[in-house]
Short mmCIF file of all heavy atoms in Angstrom, two decimals:
data_model
loop_
_atom_site.label_atom_id
_atom_site.label_comp_id
_atom_site.label_asym_id
_atom_site.label_seq_id
_atom_site.Cartn_x
_atom_site.Cartn_y
_atom_site.Cartn_z
N ARG A 235 -36.72 33.85 21.18
CA ARG A 235 -37.02 34.11 22.60
C ARG A 235 -38.52 34.22 22.86
O ARG A 235 -39.02 33.76 23.88
CB ARG A 235 -36.33 35.42 23.04
CG ARG A 235 -34.85 35.26 23.34
CD ARG A 235 -34.29 36.55 23.91
NE ARG A 235 -32.89 36.42 24.26
CZ ARG A 235 -32.45 35.96 25.42
NH1 ARG A 235 -33.31 35.57 26.34
NH2 ARG A 235 -31.16 35.87 25.66
N VAL A 236 -39.25 34.85 21.94
CA VAL A 236 -40.68 35.05 22.15
C VAL A 236 -41.51 34.07 21.32
O VAL A 236 -42.74 34.18 21.29
CB VAL A 236 -41.08 36.50 21.80
CG1 VAL A 236 -40.43 37.47 22.75
CG2 VAL A 236 -40.71 36.83 20.36
N LEU A 237 -40.83 33.12 20.65
CA LEU A 237 -41.54 32.21 19.76
C LEU A 237 -42.58 31.39 20.51
O LEU A 237 -43.71 31.22 20.04
CB LEU A 237 -40.54 31.27 19.06
CG LEU A 237 -41.17 30.15 18.25
CD1 LEU A 237 -41.92 30.70 17.06
CD2 LEU A 237 -40.11 29.15 17.79
N VAL A 238 -42.21 30.88 21.67
CA VAL A 238 -43.12 30.01 22.42
C VAL A 238 -44.40 30.75 22.76
O VAL A 238 -45.51 30.24 22.57
CB VAL A 238 -42.43 29.49 23.69
CG1 VAL A 238 -43.40 28.69 24.54
CG2 VAL A 238 -41.22 28.63 23.32
N TRP A 239 -44.25 31.99 23.25
CA TRP A 239 -45.44 32.75 23.62
C TRP A 239 -46.24 33.16 22.39
O TRP A 239 -47.48 33.18 22.43
CB TRP A 239 -45.03 33.97 24.43
CG TRP A 239 -44.28 33.61 25.69
CD1 TRP A 239 -42.98 33.89 25.99
CD2 TRP A 239 -44.80 32.88 26.80
NE1 TRP A 239 -42.65 33.38 27.21
CE2 TRP A 239 -43.75 32.75 27.74
CE3 TRP A 239 -46.04 32.31 27.09
CZ2 TRP A 239 -43.91 32.08 28.94
CZ3 TRP A 239 -46.20 31.65 28.29
CH2 TRP A 239 -45.15 31.54 29.20
N ILE A 240 -45.56 33.50 21.31
CA ILE A 240 -46.27 33.85 20.07
C ILE A 240 -47.10 32.68 19.58
O ILE A 240 -48.28 32.81 19.23
CB ILE A 240 -45.28 34.32 18.98
CG1 ILE A 240 -44.70 35.69 19.35
CG2 ILE A 240 -45.97 34.39 17.63
CD1 ILE A 240 -43.67 36.20 18.38
N LEU A 241 -46.47 31.49 19.54
CA LEU A 241 -47.18 30.30 19.09
C LEU A 241 -48.37 29.99 19.99
O LEU A 241 -49.46 29.66 19.52
CB LEU A 241 -46.23 29.10 19.05
CG LEU A 241 -45.27 29.02 17.87
CD1 LEU A 241 -44.36 27.81 18.03
CD2 LEU A 241 -46.02 28.94 16.56
N THR A 242 -48.15 30.12 21.31
CA THR A 242 -49.23 29.82 22.24
C THR A 242 -50.42 30.75 22.02
O THR A 242 -51.58 30.31 21.91
CB THR A 242 -48.72 29.96 23.69
OG1 THR A 242 -47.60 29.08 23.87
CG2 THR A 242 -49.82 29.59 24.68
N ILE A 243 -50.15 32.06 21.92
CA ILE A 243 -51.24 33.03 21.75
C ILE A 243 -51.92 32.83 20.40
O ILE A 243 -53.16 32.85 20.30
CB ILE A 243 -50.68 34.46 21.87
CG1 ILE A 243 -50.18 34.70 23.31
CG2 ILE A 243 -51.74 35.49 21.50
CD1 ILE A 243 -49.44 36.00 23.49
N LEU A 244 -51.12 32.63 19.33
CA LEU A 244 -51.70 32.47 18.00
C LEU A 244 -52.56 31.21 17.91
O LEU A 244 -53.62 31.20 17.27
CB LEU A 244 -50.61 32.45 16.94
CG LEU A 244 -49.94 33.79 16.64
CD1 LEU A 244 -48.84 33.61 15.60
CD2 LEU A 244 -50.96 34.80 16.14
N VAL A 245 -52.08 30.12 18.52
CA VAL A 245 -52.86 28.88 18.48
C VAL A 245 -54.17 29.05 19.25
O VAL A 245 -55.23 28.58 18.81
CB VAL A 245 -52.03 27.70 19.04
CG1 VAL A 245 -52.91 26.49 19.27
CG2 VAL A 245 -50.92 27.34 18.06
N ILE A 246 -54.11 29.75 20.40
CA ILE A 246 -55.35 29.99 21.15
C ILE A 246 -56.32 30.82 20.32
O ILE A 246 -57.51 30.48 20.17
CB ILE A 246 -55.02 30.70 22.48
CG1 ILE A 246 -54.27 29.74 23.42
CG2 ILE A 246 -56.30 31.19 23.16
CD1 ILE A 246 -53.80 30.40 24.70
N LEU A 247 -55.81 31.93 19.75
CA LEU A 247 -56.67 32.79 18.94
C LEU A 247 -57.16 32.06 17.69
O LEU A 247 -58.33 32.19 17.30
CB LEU A 247 -55.93 34.07 18.55
CG LEU A 247 -55.55 35.01 19.70
CD1 LEU A 247 -54.77 36.20 19.18
CD2 LEU A 247 -56.80 35.48 20.44
N GLY A 248 -56.25 31.29 17.07
CA GLY A 248 -56.64 30.56 15.87
C GLY A 248 -57.69 29.51 16.14
O GLY A 248 -58.64 29.34 15.36
N SER A 249 -57.55 28.81 17.27
CA SER A 249 -58.54 27.78 17.62
C SER A 249 -59.90 28.40 17.91
O SER A 249 -60.93 27.93 17.41
CB SER A 249 -58.05 26.97 18.83
OG SER A 249 -56.82 26.34 18.55
N LEU A 250 -59.88 29.49 18.72
CA LEU A 250 -61.15 30.16 19.02
C LEU A 250 -61.78 30.76 17.77
O LEU A 250 -62.98 30.62 17.52
CB LEU A 250 -60.92 31.25 20.08
CG LEU A 250 -60.60 30.77 21.50
CD1 LEU A 250 -60.26 31.96 22.39
CD2 LEU A 250 -61.79 30.01 22.08
N GLY A 251 -60.94 31.45 16.96
CA GLY A 251 -61.46 32.08 15.75
C GLY A 251 -61.97 31.06 14.75
O GLY A 251 -63.05 31.24 14.17
N GLY A 252 -61.20 29.98 14.54
CA GLY A 252 -61.64 28.96 13.60
C GLY A 252 -62.92 28.29 14.03
O GLY A 252 -63.83 28.07 13.22
N THR A 253 -63.03 27.99 15.35
CA THR A 253 -64.26 27.38 15.85
C THR A 253 -65.44 28.32 15.70
O THR A 253 -66.54 27.91 15.28
CB THR A 253 -64.08 26.99 17.33
OG1 THR A 253 -62.94 26.13 17.45
CG2 THR A 253 -65.30 26.27 17.84
N GLY A 254 -65.22 29.59 16.04
CA GLY A 254 -66.31 30.56 15.90
C GLY A 254 -66.76 30.74 14.46
O GLY A 254 -67.96 30.83 14.17
N VAL A 255 -65.81 30.81 13.53
CA VAL A 255 -66.15 30.97 12.11
C VAL A 255 -66.94 29.76 11.61
O VAL A 255 -67.91 29.90 10.85
CB VAL A 255 -64.87 31.18 11.27
CG1 VAL A 255 -65.17 31.04 9.79
CG2 VAL A 255 -64.29 32.55 11.55
N LEU A 256 -66.52 28.56 12.03
CA LEU A 256 -67.23 27.36 11.59
C LEU A 256 -68.67 27.35 12.08
O LEU A 256 -69.59 27.01 11.33
CB LEU A 256 -66.49 26.11 12.09
CG LEU A 256 -65.22 25.74 11.32
CD1 LEU A 256 -64.47 24.64 12.02
CD2 LEU A 256 -65.57 25.31 9.90
N TRP A 257 -68.89 27.71 13.35
CA TRP A 257 -70.26 27.74 13.85
C TRP A 257 -71.07 28.85 13.17
O TRP A 257 -72.27 28.69 12.91
CB TRP A 257 -70.27 27.95 15.37
CG TRP A 257 -69.95 26.71 16.15
CD1 TRP A 257 -68.84 26.46 16.88
CD2 TRP A 257 -70.77 25.54 16.24
NE1 TRP A 257 -68.89 25.21 17.44
CE2 TRP A 257 -70.08 24.61 17.06
CE3 TRP A 257 -72.00 25.17 15.73
CZ2 TRP A 257 -70.57 23.36 17.37
CZ3 TRP A 257 -72.51 23.91 16.03
CH2 TRP A 257 -71.80 23.03 16.83
N TRP A 258 -70.43 29.97 12.87
CA TRP A 258 -71.12 31.06 12.17
C TRP A 258 -71.51 30.63 10.76
O TRP A 258 -72.64 30.87 10.30
CB TRP A 258 -70.23 32.29 12.13
CG TRP A 258 -70.81 33.41 11.30
CD1 TRP A 258 -71.85 34.23 11.62
CD2 TRP A 258 -70.37 33.79 10.00
NE1 TRP A 258 -72.10 35.11 10.60
CE2 TRP A 258 -71.20 34.88 9.59
CE3 TRP A 258 -69.37 33.36 9.15
CZ2 TRP A 258 -71.05 35.50 8.37
CZ3 TRP A 258 -69.21 33.99 7.92
CH2 TRP A 258 -70.04 35.05 7.53
N LEU A 259 -70.59 29.96 10.05
CA LEU A 259 -70.90 29.47 8.71
C LEU A 259 -71.98 28.41 8.75
O LEU A 259 -72.83 28.33 7.85
CB LEU A 259 -69.63 28.92 8.05
CG LEU A 259 -68.58 29.94 7.61
CD1 LEU A 259 -67.33 29.22 7.10
CD2 LEU A 259 -69.15 30.86 6.55
N TYR A 260 -71.96 27.57 9.81
CA TYR A 260 -72.99 26.54 9.92
C TYR A 260 -74.37 27.18 10.11
O TYR A 260 -75.36 26.77 9.47
CB TYR A 260 -72.68 25.62 11.10
CG TYR A 260 -73.81 24.67 11.44
CD1 TYR A 260 -74.10 23.59 10.61
CD2 TYR A 260 -74.60 24.86 12.57
CE1 TYR A 260 -75.14 22.72 10.91
CE2 TYR A 260 -75.64 24.00 12.88
CZ TYR A 260 -75.90 22.93 12.04
OH TYR A 260 -76.93 22.08 12.32
N ALA A 261 -74.42 28.20 10.97
CA ALA A 261 -75.71 28.87 11.18
C ALA A 261 -76.18 29.56 9.91
O ALA A 261 -77.37 29.50 9.55
CB ALA A 261 -75.57 29.89 12.32
N LYS A 262 -75.26 30.20 9.19
CA LYS A 262 -75.61 30.88 7.95
C LYS A 262 -76.06 29.88 6.89
O LYS A 262 -77.04 30.10 6.17
CB LYS A 262 -74.40 31.68 7.47
CG LYS A 262 -74.67 32.51 6.21
CD LYS A 262 -73.41 33.28 5.82
CE LYS A 262 -73.66 34.07 4.54
NZ LYS A 262 -72.43 34.80 4.13
N GLU A 263 -75.33 28.76 6.77
CA GLU A 263 -75.66 27.74 5.77
C GLU A 263 -76.99 27.07 6.10
O GLU A 263 -77.76 26.70 5.20
CB GLU A 263 -74.54 26.69 5.72
CG GLU A 263 -74.71 25.63 4.65
CD GLU A 263 -74.44 26.14 3.26
OE1 GLU A 263 -73.88 27.25 3.13
OE2 GLU A 263 -74.80 25.44 2.30
N ARG A 264 -77.29 26.93 7.39
CA ARG A 264 -78.55 26.29 7.78
C ARG A 264 -79.74 27.13 7.35
O ARG A 264 -80.78 26.60 6.92
CB ARG A 264 -78.55 26.08 9.29
CG ARG A 264 -79.74 25.27 9.78
CD ARG A 264 -79.61 24.98 11.26
NE ARG A 264 -80.72 24.17 11.74
CZ ARG A 264 -80.86 23.75 12.99
NH1 ARG A 264 -79.93 24.09 13.89
NH2 ARG A 264 -81.89 23.03 13.34
N VAL A 265 -79.58 28.45 7.46
CA VAL A 265 -80.66 29.34 7.04
C VAL A 265 -80.87 29.26 5.53
O VAL A 265 -81.99 29.16 5.04
CB VAL A 265 -80.37 30.79 7.49
CG1 VAL A 265 -81.42 31.74 6.92
CG2 VAL A 265 -80.34 30.87 9.00
N SER A 266 -79.76 29.31 4.77
CA SER A 266 -79.87 29.26 3.31
C SER A 266 -80.29 27.89 2.82
O SER A 266 -80.96 27.76 1.80
CB SER A 266 -78.54 29.67 2.68
OG SER A 266 -77.50 28.79 3.08
N ALA A 267 -79.89 26.81 3.52
CA ALA A 267 -80.22 25.45 3.09
C ALA A 267 -81.71 25.17 3.25
O ALA A 267 -82.28 24.35 2.52
CB ALA A 267 -79.41 24.43 3.87
N SER A 268 -82.34 25.82 4.22
CA SER A 268 -83.77 25.61 4.40
C SER A 268 -84.58 26.16 3.23
O SER A 268 -85.68 25.68 2.94
CB SER A 268 -84.23 26.27 5.70
OG SER A 268 -83.98 27.67 5.66
N ALA A 269 -84.01 27.16 2.54
CA ALA A 269 -84.70 27.74 1.38
C ALA A 269 -84.43 26.95 0.10
O ALA A 269 -85.28 26.88 -0.78
CB ALA A 269 -84.28 29.20 1.21
N VAL A 270 -83.20 26.37 -0.01
CA VAL A 270 -82.82 25.62 -1.21
C VAL A 270 -82.55 24.18 -0.81
O VAL A 270 -81.53 23.88 -0.19
CB VAL A 270 -81.56 26.24 -1.88
CG1 VAL A 270 -81.22 25.47 -3.14
CG2 VAL A 270 -81.80 27.71 -2.17
N GLU A 271 -83.45 23.30 -1.13
CA GLU A 271 -83.32 21.89 -0.76
C GLU A 271 -82.60 21.13 -1.88
O GLU A 271 -83.23 20.57 -2.78
CB GLU A 271 -84.70 21.28 -0.50
CG GLU A 271 -85.39 21.79 0.74
CD GLU A 271 -84.69 21.32 2.02
OE1 GLU A 271 -83.98 20.29 1.96
OE2 GLU A 271 -84.84 21.98 3.05
N THR A 272 -81.27 21.14 -1.87
CA THR A 272 -80.47 20.36 -2.83
C THR A 272 -79.56 19.41 -2.07
O THR A 272 -79.24 19.63 -0.89
CB THR A 272 -79.63 21.29 -3.74
OG1 THR A 272 -78.71 22.01 -2.92
CG2 THR A 272 -80.52 22.27 -4.49
N GLN A 273 -79.10 18.37 -2.77
CA GLN A 273 -78.25 17.39 -2.13
C GLN A 273 -76.91 18.00 -1.72
O GLN A 273 -76.37 17.71 -0.66
CB GLN A 273 -78.03 16.20 -3.07
CG GLN A 273 -77.25 15.05 -2.46
CD GLN A 273 -77.96 14.45 -1.26
OE1 GLN A 273 -79.18 14.29 -1.27
NE2 GLN A 273 -77.22 14.11 -0.22
N ILE A 274 -76.38 18.86 -2.59
CA ILE A 274 -75.09 19.50 -2.29
C ILE A 274 -75.21 20.38 -1.06
O ILE A 274 -74.33 20.41 -0.19
CB ILE A 274 -74.59 20.31 -3.51
CG1 ILE A 274 -74.22 19.36 -4.65
CG2 ILE A 274 -73.41 21.18 -3.14
CD1 ILE A 274 -73.72 20.06 -5.88
N ALA A 275 -76.33 21.12 -0.94
CA ALA A 275 -76.53 21.98 0.24
C ALA A 275 -76.61 21.14 1.51
O ALA A 275 -76.06 21.52 2.56
CB ALA A 275 -77.80 22.81 0.06
N LYS A 276 -77.30 20.00 1.46
CA LYS A 276 -77.38 19.12 2.62
C LYS A 276 -76.01 18.57 3.00
O LYS A 276 -75.66 18.50 4.19
CB LYS A 276 -78.35 17.98 2.35
CG LYS A 276 -79.81 18.42 2.22
CD LYS A 276 -80.71 17.23 1.92
CE LYS A 276 -82.17 17.65 1.79
NZ LYS A 276 -83.04 16.49 1.46
N ASP A 277 -75.23 18.17 1.98
CA ASP A 277 -73.88 17.64 2.26
C ASP A 277 -73.00 18.70 2.89
O ASP A 277 -72.25 18.43 3.83
CB ASP A 277 -73.26 17.13 0.96
CG ASP A 277 -73.95 15.88 0.44
OD1 ASP A 277 -74.56 15.17 1.26
OD2 ASP A 277 -73.89 15.62 -0.78
N ASN A 278 -73.07 19.93 2.37
CA ASN A 278 -72.26 21.02 2.94
C ASN A 278 -72.68 21.33 4.37
O ASN A 278 -71.84 21.60 5.23
CB ASN A 278 -72.38 22.27 2.07
CG ASN A 278 -71.58 22.18 0.78
OD1 ASN A 278 -70.59 21.45 0.73
ND2 ASN A 278 -72.00 22.89 -0.24
N LEU A 279 -73.99 21.31 4.64
CA LEU A 279 -74.47 21.59 5.99
C LEU A 279 -74.00 20.52 6.96
O LEU A 279 -73.54 20.83 8.08
CB LEU A 279 -76.01 21.65 5.97
CG LEU A 279 -76.67 22.03 7.31
CD1 LEU A 279 -76.28 23.45 7.71
CD2 LEU A 279 -78.19 21.90 7.21
N GLN A 280 -74.07 19.26 6.54
CA GLN A 280 -73.60 18.16 7.40
C GLN A 280 -72.09 18.25 7.63
O GLN A 280 -71.60 18.04 8.74
CB GLN A 280 -73.98 16.83 6.78
CG GLN A 280 -73.63 15.63 7.67
CD GLN A 280 -74.05 14.32 7.04
OE1 GLN A 280 -74.51 14.28 5.90
NE2 GLN A 280 -73.91 13.24 7.78
N ALA A 281 -71.34 18.56 6.55
CA ALA A 281 -69.89 18.69 6.69
C ALA A 281 -69.52 19.82 7.63
O ALA A 281 -68.62 19.70 8.47
CB ALA A 281 -69.25 18.91 5.31
N LEU A 282 -70.22 20.97 7.52
CA LEU A 282 -69.94 22.10 8.40
C LEU A 282 -70.21 21.74 9.86
O LEU A 282 -69.46 22.14 10.76
CB LEU A 282 -70.79 23.30 7.99
CG LEU A 282 -70.19 24.23 6.93
CD1 LEU A 282 -71.19 25.30 6.55
CD2 LEU A 282 -68.92 24.87 7.45
N LEU A 283 -71.30 21.01 10.12
CA LEU A 283 -71.61 20.60 11.50
C LEU A 283 -70.50 19.71 12.06
O LEU A 283 -70.07 19.88 13.22
CB LEU A 283 -72.95 19.89 11.53
CG LEU A 283 -73.42 19.39 12.91
CD1 LEU A 283 -73.57 20.56 13.87
CD2 LEU A 283 -74.72 18.61 12.79
N ILE A 284 -70.02 18.77 11.24
CA ILE A 284 -68.94 17.88 11.69
C ILE A 284 -67.68 18.68 11.96
O ILE A 284 -66.99 18.49 12.98
CB ILE A 284 -68.69 16.79 10.64
CG1 ILE A 284 -69.92 15.87 10.53
CG2 ILE A 284 -67.45 15.97 10.99
CD1 ILE A 284 -69.83 14.86 9.41
N TYR A 285 -67.33 19.61 11.05
CA TYR A 285 -66.15 20.45 11.24
C TYR A 285 -66.26 21.27 12.53
O TYR A 285 -65.29 21.38 13.30
CB TYR A 285 -65.96 21.40 10.05
CG TYR A 285 -65.61 20.72 8.75
CD1 TYR A 285 -65.89 21.34 7.54
CD2 TYR A 285 -65.00 19.48 8.72
CE1 TYR A 285 -65.58 20.73 6.33
CE2 TYR A 285 -64.68 18.86 7.53
CZ TYR A 285 -64.97 19.49 6.34
OH TYR A 285 -64.66 18.89 5.15
N ALA A 286 -67.43 21.87 12.75
CA ALA A 286 -67.60 22.74 13.92
C ALA A 286 -67.49 21.95 15.22
O ALA A 286 -66.83 22.39 16.18
CB ALA A 286 -68.96 23.45 13.83
N ILE A 287 -68.11 20.79 15.27
CA ILE A 287 -68.03 19.96 16.49
C ILE A 287 -66.60 19.48 16.72
O ILE A 287 -66.09 19.53 17.85
CB ILE A 287 -69.00 18.76 16.38
CG1 ILE A 287 -70.45 19.25 16.36
CG2 ILE A 287 -68.78 17.79 17.54
CD1 ILE A 287 -71.46 18.15 16.14
N SER A 288 -65.93 19.04 15.64
CA SER A 288 -64.54 18.58 15.77
C SER A 288 -63.63 19.72 16.24
O SER A 288 -62.77 19.52 17.10
CB SER A 288 -64.05 18.04 14.43
OG SER A 288 -64.85 16.97 13.98
N ALA A 289 -63.83 20.92 15.69
CA ALA A 289 -63.01 22.07 16.10
C ALA A 289 -63.26 22.42 17.56
O ALA A 289 -62.32 22.78 18.29
CB ALA A 289 -63.31 23.27 15.20
N THR A 290 -64.49 22.32 18.00
CA THR A 290 -64.80 22.62 19.40
C THR A 290 -64.13 21.63 20.34
O THR A 290 -63.51 22.02 21.35
CB THR A 290 -66.33 22.59 19.62
OG1 THR A 290 -66.96 23.51 18.72
CG2 THR A 290 -66.68 22.96 21.05
N VAL A 291 -64.23 20.34 20.02
CA VAL A 291 -63.58 19.31 20.85
C VAL A 291 -62.07 19.51 20.86
O VAL A 291 -61.41 19.44 21.92
CB VAL A 291 -63.95 17.91 20.34
CG1 VAL A 291 -63.15 16.84 21.08
CG2 VAL A 291 -65.44 17.66 20.49
N PHE A 292 -61.50 19.79 19.69
CA PHE A 292 -60.05 20.01 19.60
C PHE A 292 -59.63 21.22 20.44
O PHE A 292 -58.61 21.18 21.14
CB PHE A 292 -59.66 20.21 18.14
CG PHE A 292 -58.23 20.60 17.94
CD1 PHE A 292 -57.22 19.64 18.00
CD2 PHE A 292 -57.87 21.92 17.71
CE1 PHE A 292 -55.89 20.00 17.81
CE2 PHE A 292 -56.55 22.27 17.53
CZ PHE A 292 -55.56 21.31 17.58
N THR A 293 -60.40 22.30 20.38
CA THR A 293 -60.06 23.51 21.14
C THR A 293 -60.10 23.24 22.64
O THR A 293 -59.20 23.68 23.39
CB THR A 293 -61.04 24.63 20.78
OG1 THR A 293 -60.97 24.88 19.37
CG2 THR A 293 -60.70 25.91 21.52
N VAL A 294 -61.11 22.51 23.11
CA VAL A 294 -61.21 22.19 24.54
C VAL A 294 -60.02 21.35 24.99
O VAL A 294 -59.39 21.62 26.03
CB VAL A 294 -62.54 21.47 24.83
CG1 VAL A 294 -62.57 20.96 26.27
CG2 VAL A 294 -63.72 22.41 24.58
N ILE A 295 -59.69 20.32 24.21
CA ILE A 295 -58.55 19.46 24.57
C ILE A 295 -57.26 20.25 24.57
O ILE A 295 -56.41 20.11 25.46
CB ILE A 295 -58.47 18.27 23.59
CG1 ILE A 295 -59.70 17.35 23.76
CG2 ILE A 295 -57.19 17.48 23.82
CD1 ILE A 295 -59.75 16.22 22.75
N LEU A 296 -57.09 21.13 23.58
CA LEU A 296 -55.88 21.95 23.49
C LEU A 296 -55.75 22.87 24.70
O LEU A 296 -54.66 23.02 25.27
CB LEU A 296 -55.92 22.76 22.19
CG LEU A 296 -54.65 23.55 21.84
CD1 LEU A 296 -53.49 22.61 21.59
CD2 LEU A 296 -54.90 24.41 20.62
#
Side-chain angles (χ1 to χ4, degrees):
R235 281 186 177 274
V236 295
L237 172 66
V238 175
W239 301 114
I240 289 177
L241 283 177
T242 303
I243 294 172
L244 287 178
V245 168
I246 291 175
L247 295 178
S249 300
L250 290 174
T253 304
V255 168
L256 283 171
W257 282 112
W258 174 74
L259 288 175
Y260 171 73
K262 183 179 178 182
E263 184 73 13
R264 187 175 181 179
V265 174
S266 60
S268 60
V270 182
E271 291 291 337
T272 63
Q273 185 61 40
I274 292 180
K276 293 179 180 178
D277 291 335
N278 284 334
L279 184 64
Q280 185 178 6
L282 272 175
L283 180 60
I284 295 174
Y285 293 156
I287 294 175
S288 301
T290 303
V291 173
F292 173 79
T293 302
V294 172
I295 294 175
L296 187 64

